[in-house]
Amino acid sequence: MAEPTDAARTVLLTVDDDPGVSRAVARDLRRRYGAAYRVVRAESGRSALEALRELKLRGDSVAVLLADYRMPVMNGIEFLERAMDVYPGARRVLLTAYADTGAAIDAINVVDLDHYLLKPWDPPEEKLYPVVDDLLAAWRAGDHRPVPFMKVVGHRWSARSSEVREFLARNQVPYRWYSVEEPEGRRLLAAAGQDGLRLPLVITPDGGVLVEPEAPELAARVGLATTPTADFYDLVVIGGGPAGLGSAVYGASEGLRTVLVERSATGGQAGQSSRIENYLGFPDGVSGAQLTDRARRQATRFGAEILTAREVTGLEVNGAARVVRFADGSAIGAHSVILATGVQYRRLTAEGCAGLTGCGVFYGSALTEAPSCQGHDVFIVGGANSAGQAAMYLSRFAKSVTLLVRGPDLSASMSHYLVQQITEAPNITVRARTEVEAAHGSDRLERLTLRRVDTGEAEQAEAQWMFVFIGAAPLTGWLDGTVRRDGRGFILAGPDLTVDGELPEDWDLDRPPYHLETSVPGVFVAGDARAESAKRVASAVGEGAMAVMLVHRYLEQS
């Protein structure tokens, strides 16, 4: 371990209100870093701040702050925010008892959080020390300067501003949000020479200004890879949800030169989930963002390329090559392709919803909006697991959460454990046999017209927030004329391609399609985009791995 840059011993400070946990963190830190750093522990935010002020008066340096999130009186985010005034250059870590995406997003916006860790962190050699090693290296290299961050200036009720914030959050890019209605937001606009008519405004750490940036431009400026490093690969994976990430991990780990192409952010619908509790190996649950981050890092560690903000518009067969075309006209080739494009939430056709999308009406969980629901009444449309997970998450912020479902109850489409949690939640109400007839508001959602599907009775309800989860449509329109799909657009594969035991007329091989192989040899499908798939995270990951196994079989026989 390299010595700290200051002559005086540099401090690593940890604060946790549980004495046992506090001692355990300090013990593990001293075991690894005690020879070069001084480890200071505190059992409350107040005492930790006092310790920091004393260190400041003595001229000591503080390299890393580790704070527990769920402390009474002053939680971890509040402590880190106040600690920034004393040691703005210290790297900041939030300790959580479970995957708390909301806390992490809050911390990114408030205290420029560098990392968050789950308790327990055993073994520290795998879960604690690599994180602290990286933070110490960054602290030394950065000459103790604060972590640079993006600034986003926008209107609170702007669909485009919401999209930019969601893009940055889902790609785990730290940023600070400023409303144009706030003094600091107006000062930033003036400094950038903008009048506020075109928003959002994004200011990069180097002072660059982006006005109403599109995803590819934003991705390039924040350091996300958008350009492939080669023209030809063994495997192209299209889609970065659980199935696509599973394919990328197994493809790259088994020696295939693999590139994953994602049009927005890795994780898909699962990446937007606030909490997944029935995924194998996570008894305390895991957030979609954390699961996605781990899978992405795992794929890149094995050598997979991940391209973000690249939209695929076409698939062509050129002899033994499969050519993937992008919206900008460029293309890459490969021996094989896995289609893991997933699905998107269907849009509400009720009057007024289209014009208020992003201005109170959201599709999916929109985690960046959750803290703004504090003390408000929230409506959720849908009765499947994604709606239930969102209801439980938003109930932590909202005054009340109302689930609107067309059926008689939740049991037909929601997992039993979620139904139980919703039943026990004091501020969640389920309104059965109810649908949204219209959404009202000038520049933001103000009220809803709700209608009983059995009686036709209608009523008005005040509303500022509505999150919609009403089934999914596959993102496969760009495959029209190339790959066979069913009447709803889901991709047919394997046995589903046969009709009365006969293979398609255009199938020119002397073997039947492999289980996940589409009507184009060498092109496979995995996850929610496949016809009759299970629509579960675990099955999508499994299909991604199975598809790679079949890719190997295809390549061996080609």
Side-chain angles (χ1 to χ4, degrees), residues 350-533:
E351 179 184 350
C353 287
L356 294 172
T357 299
C359 304
V361 177
F362 300 92
Y363 292 86
S365 55
L367 295 178
T368 54
E369 304 296 337
S372 300
C373 298
Q374 187 78 41
H376 294 167
D377 298 315
V378 173
F379 288 81
I380 295 177
V381 183
N385 277 10
S386 53
Q389 290 161 355
M392 292 302 302
Y393 178 69
L394 291 168
S395 68
R396 294 161 46 193
F397 302 90
K399 176 184 176 182
S400 70
V401 175
T402 302
L403 267 168
L404 306 176
V405 295
R406 289 180 56 85
D409 53 45
L410 297 173
S411 61
S413 55
M414 189 177 293
S415 294
H416 179 66
Y417 79 92
L418 269 175
V419 175
Q420 286 185 311
Q421 290 179 4
I422 288 170
T423 302
E424 295 169 1
N427 62 337
I428 298 180
T429 302
V430 179
R431 294 192 55 172
R433 301 190 186 280
T434 304
E435 66 179 5
V436 176
E437 186 174 79
H440 310 277
S442 53
D443 57 355
R444 55 172 290 185
L445 179 66
E446 297 174 357
R447 68 184 189 281
L448 298 171
T449 299
L450 305 179
R451 186 178 67 86
R452 290 276 303 187
V453 297
D454 50 355
T455 65
E457 180 183 357
E459 66 175 283
Q460 299 287 308
E462 297 296 318
Q464 288 182 304
W465 306 91
M466 181 171 68
F467 299 86
V468 182
F469 306 81
I470 55 169
L475 299 168
T476 60
W478 59 278
L479 291 167
D480 189 28
T482 305
V483 172
R484 293 199 175 193
R485 300 172 295 154
D486 66 12
R488 297 179 298 162
F490 290 94
I491 299 170
L492 299 170
D496 292 332
L497 288 168
T498 62
V499 178
D500 296 328
E502 298 293 330
L503 291 172
E505 294 180 1
D506 54 354
W507 183 263
D508 56 5
L509 300 183
D510 58 1
R511 62 166 178 82
Y514 296 131
H515 181 65
L516 299 177
E517 194 169 21
T518 71
S519 59
V520 178
V523 176
F524 299 81
V525 60
D528 290 358
R530 183 177 66 84
E532 306 302 328
S533 62

Side-chain angles (χ1 to χ4, degrees), residues 127-204:
K127 299 182 179 180
L128 176 64
Y129 297 154
V131 171
V132 178
D133 285 348
D134 289 344
L135 294 177
L136 289 173
W139 179 81
R140 291 191 298 268
D143 194 26
H144 312 170
R145 290 189 296 270
V147 179
F149 52 82
M150 310 280 288
K151 301 180 182 70
V152 180
V153 183
H155 194 283
R156 178 68 193 83
W157 300 104
S158 160
R160 191 72 191 96
S161 295
S162 178
E163 289 171 4
V164 166
R165 295 173 65 197
E166 192 77 3
F167 179 87
L168 293 174
R170 290 189 61 196
N171 282 289
Q172 301 192 4
V173 178
Y175 71 93
R176 183 75 58 81
W177 162 255
Y178 299 90
S179 171
V180 70
E181 299 171 348
E182 300 172 358
E184 185 62 19
R186 292 194 293 269
R187 284 193 288 267
L188 288 170
L189 279 177
Q194 300 294 317
D195 55 14
L197 296 178
R198 299 176 60 201
L199 294 173
L201 178 79
V202 177
I203 303 172
T204 62

